[in-house]
Amino acid sequence: METKIFKLEQIQAAADLIKAGELVAFPTETVYGLGADATNEQAVKKVYAAKGRPSDNPLIVHIASLDTVEKYAAFISPDARKLMQQFWPGSLTMIFKLKPGAFSMTVTGGLATAAFRFPDNQATLKLIKTANCPLVGPSANTSGKPSPTTAQHVYHDLNGKIAGILDDGPTRVGVESTVLDMSTDEPVILRPGAVTKTQIESIIGSIETNHHHVGKDETPKAPGMKYKHYAPKAQVYIVDRETDWNAAYQWATTRTTRVGVMAEAHVLQDLKSADNVTKYSLGEGIAAASAKLFAGLRQFDDQPTIKAILVQAFPTNGLGNAYMNRLNKSAGEKHFKLS
């Protein structure tokens, strides 16, 4: 299959492929998603096949109007409507109980709920409206690998496996949306993202965060809760704030294999060059670092001689909570420590 790159003026052609049951990757403000008609079970099955994604890992349904949620959700609480008004379009995904037969079990992972998101990207909203159907949209990458933040990342992973990619340049946020479960008596954050717990609580009051690790026989209610995610082939090590970067860098320079280093620009400036070390700047601040995290991991994943990657940690507040959630999963919770 030839994977076509569509420009913004070619959205009609991309939408025609969606209508025909094909897969088209699309941009959002967070990462690129792999789009298929959420009402076409055979098209949705192609998503799992293209990504190599486990079939019990549910998909997020991307919409372009609130009417779509009304069509499929069994109940939308007043609190959920307040959050929609405040954060949609945007980086907040909400899980609702479904009307009977709303979507196939392929979309929901066998659950009676589905996650909905109204992305903040005009190209994708136009794509959804032109295709006239909601789109499933897991990250458009090989399952388990760092998420794609450019059309080129998608092409790298899925060229020949999908029909097309709608290119709208690099994404702004760089980490996936916050997932909030509104299908339970008390709202619970299942995955942190750019919309923070504090922001949500300012609208609807106190909520919980789920720290439960989903077991092998359980079906997760949201992506990222069960399976390995965001991991390059090289081992990632988190360099904590209290760790001496000079010591970590000295360790890197004494390795017999190549090492990647990802940190803020001012940190990298203080580290001398070394023949076996490749640096990648995360810019300055948590917003820049979140936008660049997956791109940096992907860059090093394309260099087979890189056997270890040191990545700067950030405080776990605000967007830093989402950044560290992804980094911890990428590293398998491994932190750099001098033995």
Side-chain angles (χ1 to χ4, degrees), residues 9 21-22 25-26 31 35 46 54 57 60-61 68 102 128 157 161 184 201 205 232-233 262 265 270 294 321 331:
E9 60 269 23
E22 300 295 342
F26 58 84
V31 301
K46 292 180 183 179
N57 203 4
I60 293 175
V61 178
T68 306
I128 295 170
D157 280 19
K161 298 180 180 180
T184 53
E201 289 181 331
K233 291 183 287 290
M262 297 171 57
D270 293 336
F294 289 144
N321 190 29

Side-chain angles (χ1 to χ4, degrees), residues 81-116:
R81 294 183 187 279
K82 291 177 185 177
L83 293 172
M84 290 174 181
Q85 184 176 9
Q86 182 68 28
F87 297 114
W88 278 8
S91 304
L92 177 65
T93 294
M94 286 188 278
I95 296 175
F96 299 108
K97 291 179 181 177
L98 293 171
K99 295 175 181 176
F103 292 114
S104 75
M105 293 294 188
T106 308
V107 173
T108 65
L111 300 174
T113 58
F116 292 86

Side-chain angles (χ1 to χ4, degrees), residues 28-314:
T28 75
E29 76 280 15
T30 57
V31 301
Y32 273 71
L34 181 53
D37 180 352
T39 67
N40 182 335
E41 185 174 15
Q42 296 307 310
V44 174
K45 287 180 177 179
K46 292 180 183 179
V47 171
Y48 287 94
K51 283 178 58 67
R53 183 184 179 94
S55 60
D56 66 346
N57 203 4
L59 303 173
I60 293 175
V61 178
H62 290 68
I63 61 170
S65 74
L66 300 182
D67 290 343
T68 306
V69 186
E70 300 276 5
K71 180 178 179 180
Y72 296 107
F75 174 70
I76 303 172
S77 69
D79 279 350
R81 294 183 187 279
K82 291 177 185 177
L83 293 172
M84 290 174 181
Q85 184 176 9
Q86 182 68 28
F87 297 114
W88 278 8
S91 304
L92 177 65
T93 294
M94 286 188 278
I95 296 175
F96 299 108
K97 291 179 181 177
L98 293 171
K99 295 175 181 176
F103 292 114
S104 75
M105 293 294 188
T106 308
V107 173
T108 65
L111 300 174
T113 58
F116 292 86
R117 178 154 118 78
F118 196 139
D120 188 14
N121 180 281
Q122 291 303 311
T124 286
L125 295 179
K126 184 176 180 181
L127 175 67
I128 295 170
K129 291 174 182 177
T130 305
N132 195 32
C133 63
L135 301 182
V136 296
S139 56
N141 59 320
T142 300
S143 190
K145 291 299 182 181
S147 298
T149 55
T150 68
Q152 290 69 37
H153 294 162
V154 181
Y155 192 83
H156 176 279
D157 280 19
L158 301 179
N159 178 31
K161 298 180 180 180
I162 65 176
I165 304 166
L166 179 58
D167 187 357
D168 192 30
T171 62
R172 302 192 311 273
V173 177
V175 293
E176 299 88 345
S177 62
T178 305
V179 176
L180 180 66
D181 190 356
M182 297 297 291
S183 69
T184 53
D185 291 338
E186 299 295 332
V188 181
I189 291 179
L190 302 183
R191 182 180 72 185
V195 177
T196 67
K197 184 173 185 284
T198 299
Q199 288 176 309
I200 295 170
E201 289 181 331
S202 72
I203 304 299
I204 64 171
S206 180
I207 59 173
E208 297 297 321
T209 300
N210 187 336
H211 298 291
H212 170 63
H213 178 72
V214 176
K216 65 177 182 178
D217 296 325
E218 293 181 79
T219 298
K221 292 185 78 172
M225 295 182 67
K226 182 176 181 180
Y227 297 98
K228 185 178 180 181
H229 278 69
Y230 322 120
K233 291 183 287 290
Q235 177 61 54
V236 174
Y237 295 96
I238 301 168
V239 181
D240 296 304
R241 297 183 75 214
E242 59 270 20
T243 301
D244 183 349
W245 258 106
N246 287 320
Y249 195 73
Q250 179 62 29
W251 173 87
T253 63
T254 60
R255 298 302 93 192
T256 57
T257 55
R258 295 192 61 78
V259 178
V261 174
M262 297 171 57
E264 288 178 289
H266 75 270
V267 173
L268 297 181
Q269 287 176 355
D270 293 336
L271 304 176
K272 295 181 180 180
S273 297
D275 290 340
N276 73 314
V277 175
T278 302
K279 300 177 184 178
Y280 181 91
S281 175
L282 291 174
E284 292 291 349
I286 186 57
S290 294
K292 292 175 175 287
L293 175 63
F294 289 144
L297 293 174
R298 281 183 158 272
Q299 179 170 304
F300 288 134
D301 205 29
D302 285 338
Q303 301 178 46
T305 58
I306 297 285
K307 301 301 182 184
I309 307 171
L310 299 177
V311 185
Q312 180 181 341
F314 279 81

